[in-house]
Amino acid sequence: MKTTNPVLSRFGRTAVRERGAGYAAGAGYQQPAYGQGYPPAGYPEPSGYPNGAFPTSPVSTRTMTIDDVVVKTATLLGLLAASAAAAWVLIPDALLGAAWIGAAVVGLVLGLIISFSRMANPALVVAYSVVEGVFVGMVSKFFTSVAGYDGIVLQAVVATFGVFFAMVLLYKARVVRATPRFTRILIAVMGGLFAAMLINFVLALFGVDTGLRSGGPVAVGFSLICIVVAALSFVLNFAEIEEGVRAGLPERYSWMAAFGILVGLVWLYLEVLRLLSYFQGDD
């Protein structure tokens, strides 16, 4: 049966095979059709197995559940919030720019490694959450302490989680679904948005203002589009989690699912924060 999204290839096909691969002894052995009690009477007993019995089932591995993903996501968000608060307090304004850029680069590298890795790595996911916390903390401190937009961080946090839980309800009610067409279009749009951001960043280094981040009508429209797309990306995350549970992926892959949600939340928060700054800048 074909899936509606690339969850199995994203997590790695080896993850799916893990639930049925390996034995307590004789790794790589193909279980005979006879099952327990093999070999038939009159044949010599195989060595290396207790009581001469072949294993009849693979080593059990606990599979991921929705609760696992919820717990892992809450854990990552807690780490992100703690590192953001620590960075806000400990890093002085004079080093704000350097910490911002450094955390952004390290977070990007870790995110790419996690995304393209074929195996779940909880340590890398945790490290990504901590580094992203520093990045989010520095961005938030800039808008509050440097730009002087009081209360904007709390507003952005409330709006971000409001959008997230709204998407949870819409997905649960099957108002929005990750159909193949929806998935293809959304991934294409996300790729286009990230390409536009990259081009805008490069041009900004040469003093070219495209208007995408200048606070004008074009910037407001671009941020609104990014917010809508970031919100819709959760639909893909939810569908991937459902399919991962259905496929019986090992429990540690819940870290990958939580990582996907965390990336979406950070992107949504940054876009909401930027959009709110445009309106506060007009006061």
Side-chain angles (χ1 to χ4, degrees):
M1 181 180 69
K2 293 183 179 179
T3 57
T4 58
N5 60 68
V7 58
L8 299 184
S9 60
R10 176 179 174 183
F11 286 160
R13 295 176 181 175
T14 54
V16 182
R17 293 197 297 267
E18 284 183 13
R19 59 178 178 151
Y23 291 94
Y29 175 78
Q30 299 296 320
Q31 180 179 348
Y34 296 96
Q36 185 71 24
Y38 181 84
Y43 285 82
E45 292 185 351
S47 60
Y49 294 98
N51 301 321
F54 282 94
T56 58
S57 61
V59 176
S60 61
T61 301
R62 194 172 79 81
T63 58
M64 65 180 280
T65 64
I66 299 295
D67 289 342
D68 290 329
V69 178
V70 172
V71 171
K72 301 299 190 300
T73 302
T75 300
L76 294 180
L77 286 174
L79 290 172
L80 185 145
S83 62
W88 187 310
V89 173
L90 299 177
I91 299 178
D93 291 348
L95 299 178
L96 191 152
W100 178 339
I101 296 174
V105 172
V106 175
L108 177 61
V109 173
L110 288 176
L112 291 175
I113 293 174
I114 294 170
S115 298
F116 289 103
S117 174
R118 296 187 62 84
M119 298 297 294
N121 191 323
L124 282 180
V125 175
V126 169
Y128 173 84
S129 178
V130 173
V131 173
E132 280 298 284
V134 176
F135 172 68
V136 170
M138 293 297 90
V139 174
S140 302
K141 186 175 184 179
F142 170 81
F143 279 101
T144 300
S145 302
V146 179
Y149 300 146
D150 295 331
I152 191 174
V153 171
L154 179 60
Q155 295 171 14
V157 170
V158 171
T160 297
F161 283 99
V163 171
F164 174 75
F165 287 117
M167 294 307 301
V168 171
L169 295 176
L170 290 175
Y171 183 81
K172 192 171 183 179
R174 291 299 187 261
V175 175
V176 288
R177 293 181 296 175
T179 63
R181 178 184 176 88
F182 175 90
T183 301
R184 289 194 301 269
I185 293 176
L186 186 60
I187 291 177
V189 173
M190 290 173 63
L193 288 177
F194 289 130
M197 293 179 198
L198 180 60
I199 293 173
N200 179 75
F201 174 75
V202 173
L203 292 177
L205 295 178
F206 295 94
V208 179
D209 183 9
T210 62
L212 290 182
R213 298 302 195 184
S214 61
V218 174
V220 172
F222 185 75
S223 288
L224 287 173
I225 293 174
C226 289
I227 289 172
V228 171
V229 174
L232 292 176
S233 71
F234 292 126
V235 176
L236 300 185
N237 295 135
F238 300 152
E240 289 176 347
I241 292 169
E242 281 190 341
E243 292 194 15
V245 172
R246 187 181 303 118
L249 293 181
E251 181 270 338
R252 71 174 183 275
Y253 280 84
S254 58
W255 286 104
M256 290 292 292
F259 164 75
I261 293 177
L262 182 69
V263 171
L265 285 172
V266 170
W267 182 27
L268 180 60
Y269 169 76
L270 294 176
E271 292 297 339
V272 170
L273 189 68
R274 189 183 294 273
L275 180 64
L276 291 175
S277 71
Y278 295 154
F279 294 114
Q280 293 203 20
D282 292 336
D283 294 340

